[in-house]
Amino acid sequence: MNSSSLPLAVAFDSPGMLEDLEALVTTESPSQDLESLENSAAVLNQILERRLGRRANVVLGPAGPHLWWQGGGEPKVLVIGHHDTVFPRGALAERPFRVEGSRATGPGVFDMKAGIIQAVHAVAALEDRSGVEILITADEEVGSGSSRQFIEERAVACGAVLVLEPSADGGALKTARKGTGTFEILIHGRAAHAGLEPEKGVNALVEAAEHILQINRLGAAERGTTVTPTLAQVGTADNVVPALARIVVDVRVVEDDERVRVDTALRSLTAIHPEVVIDVQGGFNRPPMPPSSSEWLFPMACDVARSSGLEEPRGVAVGGGSDGNFTAAIGVATLDGLGAVGGGAHANHEWVDVSQMPTRALLLAGLIARLQSR
């Protein structure tokens, strides 16, 4: 089946998409909350069974259940997403699922539950689902530690990956992503009474202040590298010389040699005070997703859009990471940002343009159909 045989008005049931979206958003799924993630996986599996005729395999992991649905036949395309969200349990009570006009709101609606629902309905619109795999993981928001290996295995088996992360502004697809890393720098000093004998202490706060300025200068805007101190924790009381400081640093790079440079610089931090001990933990989690990873998938998506009567999407490079970074880094063709159109990812005002959910599903269905015929 090609995309031209998927007329929008016939192929997609907007009320049904909203019904499924409400069911998924009203089932909270904070990362690392195993009970909530199990509930979310169960609800999503019910949706998969109702729309696609059979349930997904449940792949258990320490971070929660991942769902792996297969259409049968030779693997041709892997559609990946995640059902965990950054919002804690109880966020739904404060911001319940609502649809007002063309906007739907609620925890996780944009990142990325609407994208999951679009994908389910896209695959449901295909007469032939052979070669299609859907993998929805439970730990993307916390680094994909328990799912990465499985994602990479299925990506290699399928040979092409479509990522359900939300679109960029205006519905743009994501053709490249920066590599991402998080470093934790622990500065060990020595406590002392700040009034009676401060000279007997080794002030971790003063040491940290010097290094924060040094770390902040590691960024290289001309090369797309950002090095941003984001968190600092230090001190126990106002009359105690602080013995420990903790600095968290967010790093984003476009080029792999920048990853090496920044990693080396952070691990080479040298104490100013002779009695300070510096311990650098963490590192890069997601490698860069280069533009080359989508060099033939993005033009294919544009052609699908034209042949379906849709506006041709733009392609943009973004700073955030996704599981597409992993699949691109191992040489598998990857196109990202095929999820919902909206805004406010990870924020309390997160929203989705529900009027565009059918068109996004149509684009995805047409792209899957093209990949099935490879």
Side-chain angles (χ1 to χ4, degrees), residues 256-322:
D256 199 58
D257 59 347
E258 281 290 274
R259 177 189 64 80
V260 175
R261 178 184 70 83
V262 174
D263 186 272
T264 300
L266 289 174
R267 297 190 191 283
S268 301
L269 289 172
T270 303
I272 298 167
H273 191 288
E275 295 183 68
V276 161
V277 175
I278 298 177
D279 178 20
V280 179
Q281 301 178 0
F284 279 89
N285 170 252
R286 288 185 165 91
M289 185 180 95
S292 59
S293 65
S294 59
E295 63 183 357
W296 60 267
L297 275 175
F298 178 66
M300 182 184 287
C302 292
D303 187 60
V304 167
R306 287 191 298 268
S307 66
S308 303
L310 304 177
E311 182 179 351
E312 189 173 322
R314 295 180 299 112
V316 299
V318 297
S322 81

Side-chain angles (χ1 to χ4, degrees), residues 1-206:
M1 173 181 285
N2 59 44
S3 59
S4 62
S5 64
L6 289 167
L8 179 60
V10 174
F12 297 104
D13 171 18
S14 293
M17 295 178 87
L18 283 179
E19 175 189 345
D20 292 344
L21 180 61
E22 180 175 9
L24 200 55
V25 173
T26 55
T27 306
E28 293 186 291
S29 53
S31 301
Q32 299 179 319
D33 183 331
L34 296 185
E35 181 181 358
S36 295
L37 290 165
E38 288 169 1
N39 292 337
S40 174
V43 168
L44 179 53
N45 228 345
Q46 291 169 2
I47 294 171
L48 288 165
E49 183 175 31
R50 184 168 66 251
R51 301 298 179 187
L52 301 180
R54 64 172 174 270
R55 300 168 73 85
N57 296 310
V58 178
V59 181
L60 296 176
H66 316 305
L67 296 183
W68 177 37
W69 186 91
Q70 299 167 279
E74 180 186 354
K76 292 291 185 69
V77 53
L78 177 66
V79 181
I80 59 173
H82 61 90
H83 65 107
D84 65 317
T85 75
V86 301
F87 299 99
R89 193 189 299 204
L92 184 67
E94 298 176 2
R95 294 180 293 107
F97 177 78
R98 287 196 178 95
V99 179
E100 297 178 353
S102 64
R103 286 197 173 203
T105 55
V109 68
F110 183 53
D111 187 12
M112 59 181 304
K113 296 191 176 185
I116 294 172
I117 298 305
Q118 289 169 188
V120 173
H121 283 255
V123 175
L126 300 171
E127 291 177 0
D128 177 13
R129 299 166 190 168
S130 62
V132 182
E133 296 190 6
I134 302 173
L135 177 57
I136 308 297
T137 65
D139 63 348
E140 192 275 344
E141 296 290 7
V142 289
S144 305
S146 72
S147 60
R148 177 177 179 174
Q149 182 177 350
F150 191 58
I151 289 169
E152 292 175 341
E153 288 174 0
R154 297 319 308 158
V156 170
C158 293
V161 174
L162 305 177
V163 186
L164 300 174
E165 289 293 332
S167 68
D169 290 346
L173 303 183
K174 298 173 180 178
T175 55
R177 286 183 177 274
K178 291 184 179 182
T180 63
T182 302
F183 291 80
E184 183 179 39
I185 298 163
L186 301 175
I187 296 175
H188 299 272
R190 184 171 61 248
H193 195 292
L196 295 178
E197 44 190 14
E199 70 283 355
K200 292 186 178 181
V202 176
N203 197 315
L205 174 56
V206 172

